[in-house]
Amino acid sequence: AAGGLDRLLAARRAGPFGAEPGAGGLDAELGWGLALPGGRFLGTPFLLHGSQGGGGRLQTLGWRIEPLGPDGGAMDLGIALKLTRRAGGDAGSDRGILIEARLGF
């Protein structure tokens, strides 16, 4: 008990997967990489569903394009077009279109 065992075993309200309500969330992304004509780029349509603070939800539908390196692997470079929808939570609801560029080094 001196090590905090009583606190761990105390009854408390838990959210999904045993997490405290509002203490995080679970995000899931589903995508499929397709070689674009010419074989120099990888196109990935994707769908993202996740949670935000305050009980809100985020849904994203998008397309990501990445150049392929000489060995056929994806490089740390890309651009994505995303359609987003945020619903519920503290911030209310909104929709948007995002263009995201990524450069890794």
Side-chain angles (χ1 to χ4, degrees), residues 1-78:
L5 185 60
D6 288 341
R7 194 177 91 194
L8 288 174
L9 297 176
R12 62 179 180 227
R13 187 172 162 246
F17 304 105
E20 292 290 330
L26 180 66
D27 295 342
E29 182 175 335
L30 175 66
W32 191 268
L34 306 167
L36 298 178
R40 298 190 59 185
F41 291 91
L42 178 67
T44 307
F46 64 93
L47 177 65
L48 171 71
H49 181 80
S51 59
Q52 292 188 299
R57 297 278 178 224
L58 173 66
Q59 297 168 332
T60 303
L61 176 65
W63 184 272
R64 185 179 302 122
I65 297 176
E66 302 168 295
L68 296 175
D71 62 350
M75 299 172 62
D76 286 335
L77 179 68

